[in-house]
């Protein structure tokens, strides 16, 4: 790679069990202690869920590339959720739109099924080590109670509610709806095999408590009951759940759970609807203030807090897996605007690292079973590079946030205790966000031959600030005399194709040679070479200068 940025971090060696970086004058000290012999819970790969509005992008050139990169993170254990899988249409994608044309009716009103486009989407996932998180929706034109207008023509300049057209309405015939879902599940069973499909997640619709559902809550419960009964009729062992509602812990979520536990099933007439997992959405609320982006992590964390509280209030649900079906810094991946200017840079990465750790902390607080937190970000085909959408890659070039997931993929085992002098307390974050002091802390995991420590320096405000002079003290390490230490970094100068593109004077379009250079810049960067270090009495000290809005992963192996 020809492109280089000045490296501001100077590596300094001290005594054999320390790895130090030269402290900058404009920095503040932070001490992080990691107790490797104090497990606090499983380090579940909750990050391994992704999704997008537009299903058809997955089968296009850069979509296939990105799906493949996601599959490589954790082969056959990464899931992808997408809207619009049952929409009528020819598969031509658009912003906040997709279609598969799976269902239409002949002149006599008899159902006709065509799985070609939908098979192409799921085949793309499976061939690249990704599994479907199946969203059963939306309504085919021939089944909608209000089919016209059907396809919207939304742009980022339009009002958001312009998307709610014929696909968002209840079915005119619930028996036909049920049969469509049954045929779909049975078709996938035949195509991909029982073992594969049993490991998928099946849920109905998206955010039925807002405009995505143009019916009453009771209508949605009926839709859901019929869908679940149909999936289970085709595959009795299928994992079914929901409701993927908006807004965290809402009245709708509570009523839905009560319906599933104690209500009359509209499809079977029996009491209760099977629920194998619970899903809801949590979103942040960024703004543009005083000439810069100010993130709203508190909003996302409050969504999580309120939903976990509701779920924990049902004794029969406390052990049920929870998937935060969309867990993001804002609410619209296809929208653009000054308040969304965080998306291309390192702040999105530091936000993501810090929020993953807080999700664990909140789940521990309520004693609930957090299984996943789904990042609603993918890619938009044939759009200008770095166009400001919430994506993992732009024009085939990976963004810094994708490298957070590459870091997380290197971690496993048991979560171990971490204490940081620079951490914003959880209750303070829930109330005020990260608006005064930065949040500098860590998430650590111990496996049989490795301790991994993810360290971040995050602040809600995307403005310059002092670096954190981090002293990372590790204790309780196994009695190994020597360990191998590696450090990976995301900041403005590392693992950051956006900074590299700006240093090229933001070319538009990007030449083939520049694309190769930027694709390399978008990969996860290792700082220096691995170091062999001595462990003394189970202890090791590592130090680094961590710039504002950055993430480091230390991997200590033996």
């Amino acid at each position: 790679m020809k492109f280089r940025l000045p490296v501001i971090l100077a590596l300094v060696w001290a005594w054999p069990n320390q790895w130090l970086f030269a402290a900058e004058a404009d920095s503040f000290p932070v001490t992080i202690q990691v107790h490797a012999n104090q497990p606090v819970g499983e380090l579940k790969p909750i990050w391994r869920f992704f999704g997008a509005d537009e299903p058809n992008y997955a089968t296009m050139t850069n979509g296939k590339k990105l799906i493949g990169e996601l599959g490589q993170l954790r082969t056959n254990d990464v899931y992808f959720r997408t809207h619009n899988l049952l929409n009528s249409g020819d598969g031509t994608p658009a912003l906040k739109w997709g279609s598969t044309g799976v269902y239409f009716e002949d002149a006599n009103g008899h159902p006709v099924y065509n799985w070609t486009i939908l098979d192409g989407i799921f085949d793309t996932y499976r061939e690249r080590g990704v599994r479907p998180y199946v969203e059963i929706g939306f309504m085919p034109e021939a089944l909608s109670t209000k089919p016209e207008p059907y396809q919207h023509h939304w742009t980022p300049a339009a009002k958001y509610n312009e998307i709610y057209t014929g696909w968002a309405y209840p079915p005119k015939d619930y028996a036909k709806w049920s049969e469509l879902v049954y045929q779909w599940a049975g078709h996938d069973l035949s195509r991909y095999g029982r073992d594969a499909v049993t490991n998928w997640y099946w849920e109905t619709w998206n955010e039925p408590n807002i405009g995505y559902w143009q019916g009453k809550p009771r209508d949605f419960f009926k839709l859901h009951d019929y869908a679940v009964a149909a999936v289970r009729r085709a595959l009795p062992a299928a994992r079914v759940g929901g409701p993927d509602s908006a807004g965290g812990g809402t009245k709708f979520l509570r009523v839905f759970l009560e319906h599933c536990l104690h209500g009359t099933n509209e499809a079977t007439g029996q009491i209760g609807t099977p629920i194998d997992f619970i899903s809801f959405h949590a979103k942040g609320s960024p703004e543009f203030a005083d000439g810069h982006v100010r993130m709203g992590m508190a909003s996302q964390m409050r969504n999580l807090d309120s939903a976990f509280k509701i779920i924990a209030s049902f004794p029969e649900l406390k052990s049920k897996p929870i998937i935060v079906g969309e867990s993001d810094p804002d609410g619209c991946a296809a929208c653009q605007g000054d308040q969304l200017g965080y998306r291309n840079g390192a702040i999105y990465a530091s936000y993501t690292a810090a929020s993953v750790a807080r999700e664990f902390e909140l789940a521990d607080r309520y004693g609930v079973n957090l299984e996943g937190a789904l990042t609603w970000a993918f890619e938009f085909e044939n759009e200008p590079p770095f166009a400001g959408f919430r994506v993992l890659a732009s024009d085939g070039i990976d963004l810094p946030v994708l490298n957070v997931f590459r870091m997380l993929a290197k971690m496993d085992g048991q979560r171990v205790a971490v204490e940081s002098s620079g951490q914003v307390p959880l209750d303070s974050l829930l109330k005020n966000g990260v608006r005064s002091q930065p949040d500098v802390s860590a998430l650590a995991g111990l496996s049989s031959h490795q301790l991994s420590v993810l360290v971040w320096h995050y602040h809600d405000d995307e403005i310059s600030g002092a670096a954190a002079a981090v002293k990372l003290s590790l204790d309780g390490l196994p009695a190994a005399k020597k360990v191998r230490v590696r450090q990976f970094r995301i900041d403005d100068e590392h693992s950051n194709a956006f900074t590299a593109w700006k240093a090229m004077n933001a070319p538009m379009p990007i030449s083939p040679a520049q694309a190769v250079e930027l694709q390399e810049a978008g990969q996860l960067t290792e700082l220096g070479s691995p170091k062999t270090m001595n462990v003394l009495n189970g202890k090791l000290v590592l130090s680094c200068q961590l710039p504002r809005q950055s993430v480091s992963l230390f991997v200590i192996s033996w």
Side-chain angles (χ1 to χ4, degrees):
M1 174 179 170
K2 296 179 181 178
F3 172 75
R4 288 288 187 270
L5 286 169
V7 177
I8 63 171
L9 300 178
L11 180 64
V12 178
W13 278 97
W15 48 92
N17 70 325
Q18 287 200 345
W19 188 6
L20 299 174
F21 284 86
E24 296 178 357
D26 185 19
S27 64
F28 60 94
V30 175
T31 299
I32 299 176
Q33 295 178 300
V34 177
H35 306 295
N37 59 352
Q38 295 182 25
V40 295
E42 182 184 354
L43 184 60
K44 294 181 180 179
I46 63 172
W47 53 266
R48 71 195 191 282
F49 295 81
F50 302 91
D53 291 65
E54 301 83 5
N56 306 103
Y57 286 144
T59 61
M60 301 177 76
T61 301
N62 289 325
K64 288 180 178 178
K65 177 177 180 290
L66 183 53
I67 288 289
E69 291 180 302
L70 297 180
Q72 290 170 9
L73 295 174
R74 195 177 174 98
T75 303
N76 288 323
D77 201 22
V78 169
Y79 289 85
F80 200 89
R81 174 178 182 256
T82 182
H83 301 338
N84 303 308
L85 286 174
L86 295 180
N87 285 19
S88 299
D90 62 3
T92 301
L95 296 181
K96 298 193 71 65
W97 176 258
S99 60
T100 61
V102 298
Y103 181 93
F104 59 98
E105 295 179 359
D106 64 19
N108 296 316
H110 298 140
V112 180
Y113 306 101
N114 184 343
W115 308 109
T116 304
I117 296 174
L118 186 51
D119 285 347
I121 294 168
F122 281 8
D123 287 353
T124 299
Y125 299 167
R126 296 305 303 126
E127 290 165 3
R128 290 161 178 80
V130 172
R131 289 172 169 167
Y133 179 117
V134 184
E135 179 187 310
I136 305 171
F138 294 119
M139 194 59 60
E141 186 173 11
L143 280 179
S144 175
T145 53
K146 189 179 178 182
E148 296 180 357
Y150 188 72
Q151 180 175 349
H152 63 73
H153 299 283
W154 183 88
T155 71
K159 294 181 179 179
Y160 192 89
N161 63 7
E162 291 182 17
I163 70 171
Y164 303 134
T165 50
W167 56 265
Y169 285 81
K172 62 184 183 183
D173 187 322
Y174 280 88
K176 287 183 175 179
W177 164 256
S178 178
E179 187 65 17
L180 165 60
V181 178
Y182 170 73
Q183 292 292 334
W184 182 10
H187 172 79
D188 285 349
L189 179 63
S190 298
R191 186 174 185 85
Y192 302 105
R194 186 174 304 275
D195 290 345
V197 179
T198 299
N199 284 306
W200 299 0
Y201 297 86
W202 296 79
E203 58 90 10
T204 310
W205 222 254
N206 174 69
E207 299 184 338
N209 57 325
I210 61 173
Y212 280 89
W213 178 245
Q214 295 293 305
K216 296 179 179 179
R218 181 181 178 88
D219 299 325
F220 172 72
F221 299 159
K222 183 176 181 179
L223 181 91
H224 178 72
D225 290 349
Y226 272 87
V228 167
V231 172
R232 282 288 184 87
R233 183 157 57 101
L235 184 66
R239 289 192 289 197
V240 294
D244 269 284
S245 52
T250 61
K251 178 181 178 181
F252 182 93
L253 177 63
R254 180 179 293 279
V255 174
F256 172 84
L257 296 175
E258 289 173 346
H259 170 77
C260 290
L261 292 173
H262 309 298
T264 300
N265 188 303
E266 296 277 0
T268 66
Q270 299 175 353
I271 298 300
T273 303
I275 183 166
D276 299 312
F277 65 94
I278 304 161
S279 54
F280 63 89
H281 298 172
K283 301 288 187 175
S285 57
E287 58 186 1
F288 195 75
D290 300 325
H292 68 273
V293 174
R294 176 172 291 159
M295 305 297 284
M297 184 181 285
S299 174
Q300 183 179 354
M301 295 302 116
R302 287 195 290 262
N303 283 173
L304 292 163
D305 182 76
S306 60
F308 288 166
K309 184 176 182 179
I310 285 176
I311 294 167
S313 71
F314 292 91
E316 50 277 71
L317 296 178
K318 285 197 71 172
S319 64
K320 290 285 185 183
I322 296 169
I323 299 175
V324 188
E326 295 180 23
S327 184
D328 303 292
D330 71 83
C332 175
C335 294
Q336 297 168 314
D338 291 340
Q339 79 279 13
L340 306 175
Y342 71 90
R343 293 168 164 181
N344 288 320
I347 186 173
Y348 188 8
S350 62
Y351 180 108
T352 301
S355 62
V356 167
R358 299 302 186 156
E359 287 160 351
F360 278 119
E361 192 173 355
L362 280 167
D364 288 347
R365 171 174 286 189
Y366 288 100
V368 294
N369 181 12
L370 178 60
E371 183 162 313
L374 190 149
T375 296
W376 197 256
F378 186 51
E379 67 103 20
F380 292 86
E381 204 85 14
N382 299 321
E383 295 287 347
F386 308 106
F389 299 116
R390 191 173 70 240
V391 292
L392 302 173
S394 177
D395 200 27
I397 299 163
D398 297 341
L399 297 188
V401 66
L402 182 54
N403 286 309
V404 173
F405 299 108
R406 291 182 171 127
M407 287 179 169
L408 289 165
K410 295 180 181 292
M411 304 177 70
D412 59 6
Q414 291 290 309
R415 282 183 292 133
V416 296
V418 172
E419 300 167 12
S420 174
S421 66
Q423 178 172 306
V424 174
L426 180 58
D427 287 330
S428 175
L429 192 155
L430 287 167
K431 183 178 180 181
N432 301 312
V434 186
R435 299 292 174 87
S436 54
Q437 72 180 67
D439 184 50
V440 184
S441 193
L443 174 70
L446 179 70
S447 58
S448 58
H449 297 287
Q450 174 181 295
L451 175 67
S452 51
V453 185
L454 186 75
V455 188
W456 59 85
H457 179 179
Y458 170 74
H459 197 287
D460 275 350
D461 289 289
E462 192 176 26
I463 56 178
S464 59
V470 176
K471 179 182 178 182
L472 186 60
S473 297
L474 315 175
D475 60 47
L477 291 168
K481 293 182 179 180
K482 292 185 182 296
V483 293
R484 185 172 183 255
V485 181
R486 304 174 71 187
Q487 184 186 177
F488 302 87
R489 168 65 63 80
I490 305 167
D491 57 27
D492 281 344
E493 301 180 0
H494 303 90
S495 314
N496 195 323
F498 181 55
T499 303
W501 177 69
K502 290 191 293 184
M504 294 175 174
N505 296 317
M508 194 85 69
I510 295 170
S511 72
Q514 289 168 331
V516 171
E517 195 169 336
L518 291 172
Q519 287 168 3
E520 183 179 345
Q523 300 303 300
L524 182 59
T525 301
E526 183 170 3
L527 288 185
S529 301
K531 304 297 180 184
T532 300
M533 303 179 67
N534 294 323
V535 174
L536 302 178
N537 299 319
K539 297 181 179 180
L540 187 68
V541 176
L542 306 172
S543 300
C544 70
Q545 287 288 120
L546 203 58
R548 191 163 176 162
Q549 312 301 7
S550 66
V551 188
S552 269
L553 174 68
F554 290 91
V555 179
I556 302 97
S557 57
W558 51 87

